[in-house]
Amino acid sequence: MRAVHTINAPKAIGPYSQAMMHNGLLFVSGQIGIDPFTAELAKNFAEEARLCFSSLREILSEAGMSFAKVVKVSIFITDLRNFEALNEIYAQFFSEPYPARETVQVAALPKNASIEISLVAMS
């Protein structure tokens, strides 16, 4: 088992790793829409979502993977009215066959974010 870390994604804001690799599986911790260089939260849902996917892409890349290797995505949003916008942005990063996924509305997320995304990829 090994930790995966890149400076091109936000630092963990707690006692956890950006990702862990074990037996060919990459488990990526939830990413929120924080700019990795300024540590500022994006101004709106679409910007937050794009930053989440950018961070996930950087972590996957650090592990020698891409979105094509993702088998499971978990998405947490604070307002399901953003579901359509989420799907439009999601389709810019994934192509068929799409990974398994759930999207769940939650009451709150760290740093008052409106979206958090985690995933599992397989080498």
Side-chain angles (χ1 to χ4, degrees):
M1 184 164 45
R2 73 176 174 93
V4 176
H5 173 77
T6 176
I7 62 168
N8 295 319
K11 294 178 184 176
I13 58 175
Y16 59 88
S17 297
Q18 286 176 332
M20 293 296 292
M21 177 74 83
H22 183 68
N23 289 339
L25 291 173
L26 181 70
F27 299 88
V28 182
S29 294
Q31 299 297 304
I32 59 176
I34 294 177
D35 183 293
F37 305 105
T38 66
E40 295 293 321
L41 185 68
K43 303 285 188 230
N44 60 55
F45 178 83
E47 289 178 23
E48 282 186 54
R50 285 186 187 91
L51 275 173
C52 288
F53 286 114
S54 293
S55 295
L56 293 165
R57 180 180 53 226
E58 293 297 332
I59 295 166
L60 286 164
S61 178
E62 185 68 24
M65 297 182 180
S66 69
F67 283 113
K69 297 292 187 176
V70 174
V71 295
K72 180 69 165 62
V73 180
S74 298
I75 303 175
F76 306 93
I77 57 179
T78 57
D79 189 345
L80 275 174
R81 289 177 289 193
N82 288 317
F83 188 74
E84 187 176 325
L86 166 65
N87 283 335
E88 289 174 14
I89 296 164
Y90 186 92
Q92 296 170 14
F93 292 88
F94 289 98
S95 57
E96 292 188 43
Y98 298 111
R101 179 184 121 181
E102 71 266 336
T103 303
V104 179
Q105 180 172 311
V106 296
L109 291 167
K111 300 221 178 251
N112 205 30
S114 58
I115 183 170
E116 181 172 358
I117 306 172
S118 65
L119 57 77
V120 178
M122 193 165 91
S123 60

